Amino acid sequence: MRADDAVIVINAGSSSIKFSLYAGAELALRAKGKIENLYAGQTRFVAQDAAGSESASHAWPGAPLAHDEAMHYLVQYAQGHLDGLNVVAIGHRIVHGGTEFSGPVKLDADVVARLERLSPLAPLHQPHNLAPVRSIFALAPQVLQVGCFDTAFHTAQPPLAQAFALPPEITEQGVRRYGFHGLSYEYIASVLPELDGRLAGKRVVAAHLGNGASMCAMRGGRSVASTMGFTAIDGLPMGTRCGSVDPGVVLYLMDELKMAPGDIQRLLYQQSGLLGVSGISSDMRTLERSSDPRAKLAIDLMVYRIGRELGSLTAALGGLDGIVFSGGIGENSASLRSAVGRDAAWLGVQLDAAANAAGPAAAASAVGGAFRISAAGSAVPVWVVPANEELMIARHAQSLLEA
């Protein structure tokens, strides 16, 4: 890539589209922003420069905006604010790559059609991930589009870690454990040896904790096991998703409570997790400020499940050499990190309370936004690494472009 070449990264969700603009061979961040509240009215666009200062904003107070209209606006915005940069590639976060896509791929009509067939495995994500791709086909067909998959990092897991105890004719239909948040874990694996050389090639459990939450066991920077499985509702309790639940519960909801499949899907994906348990909010910040005992229960349940999964993933690794927190909750909730560290004392984890509370601003070991929160005598180093899936996508787009 030349100095005036740029890569745009698109991360489209069900109600928002986030974008980042990277320039030159070093992929320097030049701008980022988002359009939020799609389909709900009061849609708003905001952009920031590389320093985080707001550089542009726009609101649509009238009729709700759809994905294609939002992408049309973003393309027009980009064309008017490139400052001499030439967009050579657009990278997309796509949640599910199935068994077919184990790495970044050039997106064309055929690939998109194959990815659409995976929508039942990620119904709240996949259709929205693909909507901007189609929009750019129409608006800028000459630009290379690259798909990067949240499942790809986990495709190298041992077969036993991917298997359900089901008959082979079911497994052969693609019913297996996939794992998600792979782009976040791939980024962590890429920077961790620079942060702490002792962890290069070692056994690390990373926790991506946000509205979606999961944990991943990594050995030598490669995925060994994950808490998420066939879909993105498995494993930990999340903002609105239930996490692991006995399959018999679903049968009970169908047979005894006479719930329709659509109602069960809404319950498991949108009405459970922190929101469902607390009855207050899916936002950890709101729950931490609340004095309602239901808020405390929701937080305690999440902490408990993280501890359970940490033990399970440590067993899959045969030991533990490091822990990493990431994601919105993992990066910002010092109280949750403290509770998880307290429960992990049996593994030799000992947190530095001052470093944990201070965050990156006051941490002596802060490197590129990452900071260490374990005490000097802790048998297991503990780090906080801000998620940067967008940079990982930009790197993949750059590699595919140069290849």
Side-chain angles (χ1 to χ4, degrees):
M1 285 176 59
R2 300 175 303 181
D4 59 350
D5 286 340
V7 172
I8 292 177
V9 172
I10 300 292
N11 185 347
S14 58
S15 62
S16 67
I17 300 177
K18 299 177 184 178
F19 77 92
S20 301
L21 174 67
Y22 297 88
E26 72 282 6
L27 294 175
L29 179 66
R30 296 284 289 270
K32 61 181 179 180
K34 62 182 176 180
I35 296 181
E36 55 188 352
N37 293 328
L38 296 177
Y39 303 100
Q42 300 301 316
T43 303
R44 185 171 184 267
F45 164 75
V46 62
Q48 298 175 324
D49 60 23
S53 300
E54 185 173 309
S55 57
S57 64
H58 184 75
W60 292 266
L65 215 65
H67 275 84
D68 56 347
E69 297 168 304
M71 281 307 306
H72 189 266
Y73 180 86
L74 282 180
V75 169
Q76 288 184 318
Y77 170 82
Q79 289 172 339
H81 295 78
L82 286 173
D83 296 327
L85 294 175
N86 175 44
V87 176
V88 292
I90 298 176
H92 297 266
R93 176 189 176 227
I94 299 175
V95 166
H96 221 301
T99 58
E100 186 175 359
F101 299 102
S102 58
V105 63
K106 176 183 176 182
L107 295 170
D108 56 27
D110 175 64
V111 170
V112 169
R114 284 143 64 191
L115 291 171
E116 282 178 331
R117 292 195 285 271
L118 298 174
S119 291
L121 304 185
L124 299 189
H125 299 86
Q126 197 84 347
H128 302 298
N129 297 159
L130 297 176
V133 179
R134 295 191 205 88
S135 297
I136 295 170
F137 281 156
L139 295 169
Q142 77 284 359
V143 178
L144 170 69
Q145 295 196 73
V146 177
C148 301
F149 307 99
D150 264 345
T151 52
F153 184 67
H154 304 294
T155 56
Q157 287 181 1
L160 285 178
Q162 302 179 29
F164 290 118
L166 293 170
E169 58 268 23
I170 301 296
T171 302
E172 290 163 5
Q173 296 298 315
V175 180
R176 41 153 287 193
R177 300 184 64 88
Y178 289 98
F180 298 89
H181 292 135
L183 291 163
S184 178
Y185 295 128
E186 186 178 10
Y187 173 75
I188 291 170
S190 73
V191 301
L192 198 54
E194 301 174 23
L195 297 171
D196 192 336
R198 295 170 303 169
L199 295 179
K202 295 298 182 67
R203 302 163 297 184
V204 174
V205 171
H208 179 102
L209 307 176
N211 191 52
S214 70
M215 297 170 69
C216 177
M218 299 186 291
R219 181 186 292 112
R222 294 169 65 86
S223 177
V224 171
S226 171
T227 59
M228 281 185 170
F230 181 61
T231 65
I233 58 172
D234 197 12
L236 301 175
M238 306 173 217
T240 63
R241 287 173 254 170
C242 61
S244 296
V245 65
D246 183 342
V249 172
V250 178
L251 298 177
Y252 180 85
L253 296 176
M254 294 172 58
D255 296 338
E256 299 299 325
L257 302 188
K258 308 302 180 186
M259 292 181 66
D263 294 330
I264 294 174
Q265 178 173 303
R266 279 187 292 275
L267 172 67
L268 301 182
Y269 276 97
Q270 298 170 318
Q271 300 168 350
S272 298
L274 296 177
L275 174 63
V277 175
S278 72
I280 298 170
S281 176
S282 63
D283 192 316
M284 179 64 76
R285 294 166 296 186
T286 301
L287 298 180
E288 288 180 339
R289 291 192 297 265
S290 175
S291 60
D292 192 312
R294 297 176 300 167
K296 182 178 185 302
L297 174 62
I299 296 171
D300 288 348
L301 180 57
M302 187 174 198
V303 170
Y304 172 75
R305 288 298 309 164
I306 291 171
R308 282 275 301 265
E309 295 292 354
L310 178 59
S312 173
L313 294 173
T314 299
L317 288 168
L320 183 65
D321 301 307
I323 297 174
V324 176
F325 289 95
S326 191
I329 296 173
E331 295 164 29
N332 296 301
S333 178
S335 61
L336 179 132
R337 296 194 302 261
S338 177
V340 172
R342 176 200 65 217
D343 291 351
W346 67 279
L347 287 167
V349 173
Q350 182 182 355
L351 297 190
D352 182 323
N356 183 49
S365 55
V367 178
F371 55 101
R372 179 172 170 164
I373 61 172
S374 50
S378 179
V380 177
V382 183
W383 284 83
V384 178
V385 179
N388 203 337
E389 295 150 308
E390 290 78 12
L391 179 57
M392 205 70 241
I393 294 170
R395 289 175 180 173
H396 285 313
Q398 181 186 51
S399 296
L400 202 60
L401 177 73
E402 294 175 347

